[in-house]
Amino acid sequence: MILLDGKKVSEQLLEELKVEVEKLASEGKKIPHLAVILVGNNPASETYVASKIKTCERIGFKATLIRLADTVEEVNLLDKVQELNEDPEIDGFIVQSPLPKHISDDKVINAISPLKDVDGFHPENLGRMALNMPAFLPATPYGVLTLLDRYNISTAGKHCVVLGRSHIVGLPMSLLMVRNSKPGNCTVTICHSKTVDVKSHTLQADILIVATGQTESVTADMVKEGAVVVDVGISRVADASKKSGFRLAGDVKFDEVAPKCSYITPVPGGVGPMTIASLLKNTLEGVKRKIH
Ligand SMILES: NC(=O)c1ccc[n+]([C@@H]2O[C@H](COP(=O)([O-])OP(=O)(O)OC[C@H]3O[C@@H](n4cnc5c(N)ncnc54)[C@H](OP(=O)(O)O)[C@@H]3O)[C@@H](O)[C@H]2O)c1
């Protein structure tokens, strides 16, 4: 079993991005500038956003954090989005989810210019991605793709089973795996909460990508010998032996599944670090106008 070390690969990616930023700076070109809108102060969002900003600074990007109260009116958030769409200094921006209940995710996503949508959530980017046209790819699936690529995992002709069909992970992940590209060219099965007998599908997977948010629900009896397993899930599980009182766990029961796998991602240290690196890669690619 080989560990798909997302921490290591993301460090390599960030180093590569840093070199590219230094080159842009030495040529007097524009330094990538990412803006993040954070509404309210959800503790998990605070952590993610702080990490994104810190990583930007580490590799030489400019980063701007825009904080709005969780009572902000939807119209005022949409105005801020429009302001960033029109600001030539900002190359890309994201609106951190989750948003308060009184704000429509769809309205906000649709308001972001596809040219600055470095989270890759806008329908135009999703459509372009599905059609194998240049697009901002959603950061988490993009990170998984890069991880598979850097480990030279062969995907063509393989059966990939994706658990989960969310718009930010499962659905784009399955589209990326079925595309005629490398990595890609898989035969893809997508399972969701209404799928009958999920195990009968997972047992056929050469590549199993799990993004259900159901902690440690994928067990050894559900996995084929020699499968590649990518665990996107991340959640907190109470653990009195830890100082923090919790440990991080994925959607896969790692200890029992890992011995059956050819490759598997750990949690933490697998997909998570790849997500931030992919967001920043999108931002740089946007600056270099590789995307649209
Ligand atoms: N590491 C990272 O960077 C990163 C990034 C994003 C998300 N995540 C994590 O990834 C996980 C999934 O995130 P998400 O945003 O995609 O979650 P989500 O929006 O809650 O979607 C979960 C998906 O899983 C499906 N599902 C639920 N139970 C299932 C089951 N037993 N079998 C098969 N499918 C099932 C749901 O089906 P229905 O559509 O029928 O409801 C849904 O499509 C979470 O743990 C999240 O924290 C990690």
Side-chain angles (χ1 to χ4, degrees):
M1 181 275 290
I2 296 172
L3 219 50
L4 293 169
D5 189 341
K7 197 161 168 10
K8 192 173 88 187
V9 174
S10 69
E11 286 298 325
Q12 287 165 2
L13 262 177
L14 291 172
E15 272 312 305
E16 291 163 18
L17 295 179
K18 192 170 171 214
V19 169
E20 289 206 53
V21 176
E22 283 164 0
K23 187 163 175 282
L24 289 174
S26 71
E27 292 168 350
K29 293 189 176 146
K30 189 175 182 314
I31 301 298
H33 191 162
L34 176 77
V36 179
I37 301 180
L38 176 60
V39 182
N41 38 22
N42 172 305
S45 297
E46 290 276 358
T47 310
Y48 291 140
V49 165
S51 177
K52 286 169 188 172
I53 301 280
K54 209 172 103 197
T55 312
C56 276
E57 287 162 355
R58 204 186 109 193
I59 64 166
F61 278 25
K62 289 186 190 163
T64 299
L65 171 60
I66 297 154
R67 285 180 175 276
L68 299 174
D70 58 5
T71 50
V72 68
E73 296 283 344
E74 185 180 82
V75 66
N76 294 334
L77 174 56
L78 293 172
D79 282 349
K80 182 48 83 177
V81 166
Q82 194 52 31
E83 202 183 292
L84 294 177
N85 283 341
E86 289 167 8
D87 184 346
E89 167 57 25
I90 301 297
D91 301 297
F93 66 97
I94 64 168
V95 182
Q96 183 66 42
S97 62
L99 290 171
K101 294 246 176 314
H102 66 279
I103 296 178
S104 153
D105 288 328
D106 284 351
K107 265 196 199 165
V108 173
I109 289 169
N110 280 305
I112 299 173
S113 161
L115 298 171
K116 295 194 177 184
D117 168 41
V118 285
D119 251 342
F121 294 165
H122 191 282
E124 185 174 322
N125 276 314
L126 279 174
R128 292 177 68 96
M129 179 196 76
L131 298 172
N132 219 350
M133 294 162 71
F136 288 120
L137 305 182
T140 301
Y142 189 14
V144 172
L145 214 62
T146 308
L147 200 52
L148 296 173
D149 192 39
R150 295 282 167 121
Y151 276 86
N152 277 319
I153 291 172
S154 129
T155 57
K158 298 285 163 61
H159 187 181
C160 175
V161 177
V162 179
L163 300 192
R165 59 176 168 185
S166 73
H167 293 179
I168 62 166
V169 188
L171 188 66
M173 190 72 250
S174 53
L175 289 169
L176 288 169
M177 295 307 282
V178 83
R179 288 197 321 181
N180 184 0
S181 59
K182 186 177 172 294
N185 279 317
C186 287
T187 302
V188 175
T189 300
I190 311 172
C191 298
H192 45 78
S193 69
K194 311 290 187 297
T195 299
V196 175
D197 195 4
V198 170
K199 181 177 164 180
S200 69
H201 297 288
T202 58
L203 277 173
Q204 294 176 39
D206 302 311
I207 301 170
L208 177 62
I209 303 178
V210 189
T212 60
Q214 305 295 310
T215 309
E216 296 183 331
S217 57
V218 172
T219 45
D221 60 315
M222 296 170 72
V223 177
K224 185 166 90 171
E225 199 71 46
V228 176
V229 174
V230 176
D231 188 354
V232 180
I234 186 147
S235 47
R236 290 178 173 190
V237 177
D239 184 341
S241 72
K242 301 274 181 207
K243 213 169 124 197
S244 58
F246 68 85
R247 68 181 169 89
L248 293 174
D251 292 346
V252 174
K253 213 163 196 170
F254 183 89
D255 290 348
E256 62 175 64
V257 171
K260 292 186 86 173
C261 299
S262 53
Y263 296 87
I264 185 168
T265 54
V267 176
V271 175
M274 294 299 297
T275 297
I276 293 189
S278 303
L279 172 72
L280 302 195
K281 195 162 167 30
N282 270 344
T283 309
L284 181 68
E285 284 170 357
V287 171
K288 290 161 66 183
R289 290 286 171 260
K290 275 191 189 165
I291 296 297
H292 284 269

